[in-house]
Amino acid sequence: MNQPHPPRRLARRLTQLYGGLLLYGVSAGLMVRADLGLDPWDVFHQGVSERTGVSIGMVVNITGLLVLLLWIPLRQRPGLGTVSNVLLVGFAMDATLALTPGLDDLAARVPLMLGAVVLNGLATGLYIAARFGPGPRDGLMTGLHRITGRSLRLMRTGIEVAVLAVGIVLGGTAGVGTVVYALAIGPLAQFFLRMCAISGTRTGMDFDDRRRPGILRVRSRRLDRHPEPSPADAR
């Protein structure tokens, strides 16, 4: 198969990067509007927002910047996607909340929550496949993994449990949406990551080297530099 011309490939990568970041913020805002529970980091962001009066999107951006500062002692190097993440996700989240009304009917909130989770999976696939660097929160996790020698899964679980607990104490919303998100985002993100993969640009997933499409491996190699897709991947 012919590979796309390099300038076209770069244009597509940039489109996926910024489209993915904006859609991530939109999906996060829709999760808030569904009011059925948020992912662990957004439970924390919402809790801080409730206590400080600062918009949740601004809290997302400020938290991303503070987490990015923690990369310095961990000797992590940010990419274009990392910096863009800090600037765009919270903005898109606040814009979505400003443009969408709250819902009282559970029959409308449930499909909204489910749609937001699917949209988040698409956003994560777009963003990761662009290969412009991890989000600030994901880089924190991979940096701690490298420094401590502990597994990525342990680092991820520890960080997300901690921010979830703090967020609940601060008044963030955890519920069925939190559980659905935790169970669904990995498979969804991997599915969309394969769909959004760019020819000539490695995603680091097992399908990069698979010669016969449609054959799934029981054990998947993770991203070569970053862990499997998660709620933190586009953050």
Side-chain angles (χ1 to χ4, degrees):
M1 178 182 294
N2 294 328
Q3 295 183 354
H5 193 268
R8 294 182 181 177
R9 186 186 305 143
L10 178 60
R12 177 176 169 183
R13 289 176 64 202
L14 288 170
T15 300
Q16 288 195 190
L17 168 66
Y18 291 109
L21 290 175
L22 291 174
L23 287 178
Y24 200 103
V26 170
S27 67
L30 294 178
M31 285 285 288
V32 173
R33 282 291 179 241
D35 197 24
L36 291 171
L38 308 175
D39 72 84
W41 275 104
D42 279 340
V43 172
F44 171 77
H45 298 143
Q46 188 182 52
V48 173
S49 176
E50 292 289 331
R51 293 299 181 114
T52 63
V54 177
S55 73
I56 187 171
M58 183 60 68
V59 172
V60 168
N61 288 348
I62 293 173
T63 302
L65 178 59
L66 294 176
V67 171
L68 189 57
L69 293 177
L70 295 176
W71 283 32
I72 297 174
L74 296 176
R75 298 182 179 179
Q76 294 281 95
R77 293 183 179 181
L80 175 63
T82 312
V83 177
S84 300
N85 182 297
V86 173
L87 299 175
L88 292 182
V89 172
F91 168 79
M93 189 175 185
D94 273 348
T96 300
L97 290 171
L99 294 173
T100 55
L103 298 174
D104 296 323
D105 190 353
L106 185 62
R109 289 160 56 203
V110 170
L112 180 62
M113 179 268 291
L114 294 175
V117 172
V118 174
L119 183 61
N120 192 277
L122 171 61
T124 301
L126 286 168
Y127 171 78
I128 295 177
R131 302 294 287 176
F132 278 110
R137 297 156 186 81
D138 214 36
L140 172 64
M141 178 176 50
T142 56
L144 289 172
H145 156 70
R146 182 172 54 83
I147 293 295
T148 65
R150 301 289 184 177
S151 71
L152 287 167
R153 189 173 299 276
L154 178 61
M155 292 295 99
R156 164 166 292 150
T157 301
I159 292 173
E160 293 188 353
V161 167
V163 296
L164 176 61
V166 172
I168 292 173
V169 171
L170 292 176
T173 305
V176 64
T178 309
V179 177
V180 170
Y181 192 97
L183 294 176
I185 191 62
L188 282 172
Q190 186 167 344
F191 171 76
F192 285 115
L193 182 58
R194 180 171 184 177
M195 287 186 60
C196 299
I198 301 172
S199 178
T201 302
R202 290 184 58 82
T203 64
M205 300 299 285
D206 61 352
F207 54 76
D208 281 324
D209 303 315
R210 195 179 296 146
R211 295 185 178 181
R212 289 188 295 166
I215 299 177
L216 297 177
R217 295 177 179 172
V218 176
R219 298 177 65 88
S220 170
R221 290 198 301 275
R222 306 303 183 189
L223 291 171
D224 49 12
R225 295 185 60 190
H226 312 300
E228 72 274 12
S230 80
D233 279 334
R235 299 296 191 81

